[in-house]
Amino acid sequence: MSSAHSTDFSIPRTTDLSTPRTLAGRTVRPVGLGCMNLSHGYSNFPSDEDSVALIHAALDAGVDHFDTATLYGTERNEVLVGRTLGARRKDVLLASKGGLTGGPEGGVDGRPETLRRQVEDSLRRLGTESIDLYYLHRLDPQVPVEDSAGALAEMIQAGKIGAYGLSEISAATLERAHAVHPVAAVQNEYSLWTRNPEWGLLDACRRTGTAFVAFSPVGRGFLAGTLRDPSALPEGDMRHRMPRFSAENYPANLALLDRLRAEAGRLGITPAQLSIAWLLAQGPDVLAIPGTTSAAHLQEDCAAEQVVLAPEDVARVGAIINHGTVHGHRYAEQQRTTIDTEDAPALS
C-alpha cells in the first residue's frame, strides 16, 4: 500500500527515521542538499542572503548531508556553505569535490599534486579541519585513477578528509580505485530519465560496499513538472546545451511528464516526490541530493523520505520514463568527453 504526505510538505524534525542510510561511515537521512543550484550551472541564482536562509532552513529541518565542490561558482559555493554552517558544521556530513575547475584555464585535473592542493584550499574555504567526504569530480583521462585514488588516500591518512569518492565514473573505474583504497561513495547522475548506473555501476557499488549518491534526482528540474518551456530560461542556463531540453526533443519528453503527473496525482503526492521516492526505492544504499533555491521545494523534496511506494508503483513509474522512452542524450557531445559512465548503445 502506498502512503505519503499529499499536501503537508512539513519536514519531520527528527533524525530517527525508519530508513536511514549509511554514507562515509555515518548515518544520514536519505535526502541531502546539493548546493550547486545556489551559484552554478543554472540561472536566477539567489542572493547570498537568500542562500544563507535556505541552508539554515535545511539545517533547522534536520538535513544532515550537504554537498558542494570547488567548481561551483568558481569556489564561491564552498565559501558560502562553510561560512553558513559555522558552529553547526559538526551536525552534518559535509562533502566536496576536486579535480575539476571552471574559468578559462579550468578543466579536468586529477594529478595527485593538484588534488592535494585543492583539498587544502577547500579546507580553508569551508572553514573546517576535515572534510567528511571528498570526491574526484571527474576522471582525468590523462591520469590513472589509481594515482588520483592514492593521493586521496594520503589525505585520509593525514586527517584532511574522512573518506573519498568518485563522480560520474564507470564500474570498471570504481573497481580500479577501490583496489587502491576503499571508495566510500560514488556520485553519479541517476533518476527516472537517467539510468546509466543500472548498466553495471550499481552492482559494482554493492560488490565493493560503496554508497551511491544520486545527483539531479529530479532530472535537472524536468521531473518536478513545472518547466514547460526551456527556451524561456536565461541565456547562461546549462540546460540550453542539453539535448533533452532542445526544441526537437522537449515536446516528446513533456508527454512523458504528463503521465508521471497523473501517477503522482493518483498517489496523492507531487511529481518531484514521486521521482525521489522511486530513486530511494532502488536500494538502501542509494541516497539523493536534490538541489533547489526554494524553501518550499526543499520541504517538498525532503518529505519524499516519508513516501512508501508499493513494488507495482515503482515498476509502473519506471516504465513510463526511462532511457528507452526519453528523447535526447543527457549531455551534449562535447560534455560527454569528460564522462566515464556506462552508456546504452542505442541511446539517441
Side-chain angles (χ1 to χ4, degrees):
M1 181 176 181
S2 302
S3 63
H5 297 293
S6 57
T7 58
D8 179 9
F9 293 157
S10 61
I11 309 175
R13 297 282 170 165
T14 174
T15 57
D16 184 19
L17 299 175
S18 60
T19 55
R21 314 259 157 144
T22 300
L23 180 62
R26 293 177 56 169
T27 298
V28 297
R29 294 177 65 157
V31 177
L33 179 64
C35 297
M36 186 184 87
N37 298 49
L38 301 178
S39 51
H40 184 82
Y42 297 109
S43 51
N44 298 319
F45 300 118
S47 66
D48 282 356
E49 181 181 8
D50 287 341
S51 295
V52 168
L54 181 74
I55 294 172
H56 278 304
L59 287 165
D60 291 344
V63 174
D64 55 5
H65 173 198
F66 290 77
D67 184 272
T68 180
T70 292
L71 175 71
Y72 302 160
T74 316
E75 305 174 0
R76 294 192 308 276
N77 197 267
E78 285 184 317
V79 174
L80 172 70
V81 171
R83 184 178 69 242
T84 306
L85 290 179
R88 302 174 76 174
R89 161 73 182 90
K90 63 183 184 300
D91 299 328
V92 307
L93 185 150
L94 178 59
S96 193
K97 313 177 199 69
L100 180 63
T101 56
E105 298 182 1
V108 180
D109 187 348
R111 292 175 296 171
E113 59 269 28
T114 298
L115 293 175
R116 294 187 195 103
R117 184 185 72 251
Q118 289 189 341
V119 166
E120 296 287 356
D121 290 343
S122 290
L123 287 167
R124 174 178 49 78
R125 286 190 291 268
L126 290 165
T128 187
E129 295 181 355
S130 178
I131 301 168
D132 300 309
L133 176 57
Y134 194 85
Y135 296 92
L136 177 67
H137 206 156
R138 291 292 186 272
L139 177 67
D140 187 338
Q142 305 303 317
V143 178
V145 71
E146 291 85 352
D147 292 354
S148 300
L152 294 175
E154 291 174 9
M155 295 292 98
I156 294 173
Q157 294 166 1
K160 303 292 186 180
I161 62 178
Y164 87 103
L166 307 169
S167 183
E168 286 286 52
I169 53 90
S170 63
T173 297
L174 167 61
E175 290 176 335
R176 286 173 55 194
H178 193 76
V180 175
H181 189 281
V183 181
V186 165
Q187 184 181 136
N188 279 27
E189 184 176 358
Y190 189 25
S191 68
L192 281 165
W193 81 340
T194 296
R195 301 296 189 88
N196 305 63
E198 297 175 0
W199 306 325
L201 180 61
L202 283 174
D203 287 342
C205 285
R206 284 155 188 164
R207 286 195 300 271
T208 56
T210 302
F212 187 95
V213 177
F215 76 81
S216 294
V218 190
R220 303 189 184 278
F222 168 75
L223 296 169
T226 57
L227 180 60
R228 305 303 297 184
D229 181 13
S231 67
L233 292 169
E235 184 178 351
D237 195 295
M238 66 191 300
R239 286 168 288 188
H240 285 299
R241 304 188 299 276
M242 294 180 165
R244 291 179 180 176
F245 292 92
S246 71
E248 295 76 20
N249 292 321
Y250 203 68
N253 290 330
L254 274 180
L256 301 175
L257 187 60
D258 290 340
R259 295 176 60 192
L260 180 70
R261 186 181 292 106
E263 286 297 317
R266 180 179 64 82
L267 295 167
I269 56 180
T270 69
Q273 289 175 323
L274 179 56
S275 299
I276 294 172
W278 176 91
L279 181 68
L280 297 178
Q282 302 310 304
D285 50 355
V286 177
L287 302 93
I289 49 168
T292 185
T293 61
S294 161
H297 290 165
L298 170 70
Q299 293 174 342
E300 179 183 355
D301 292 344
C302 290
E305 293 177 338
Q306 306 305 307
V307 175
V308 180
L309 296 177
E312 55 268 28
D313 295 326
V314 174
R316 183 183 302 109
V317 173
I320 293 172
I321 300 181
N322 56 65
H323 71 281
T325 62
V326 166
H327 291 251
H329 200 285
R330 66 190 181 110
Y331 283 125
E333 188 171 352
Q334 183 177 0
Q335 291 174 291
R336 294 176 219 170
T337 61
T338 65
I339 304 302
D340 177 53
T341 57
E342 290 85 0
D343 218 344
L347 193 62
S348 59

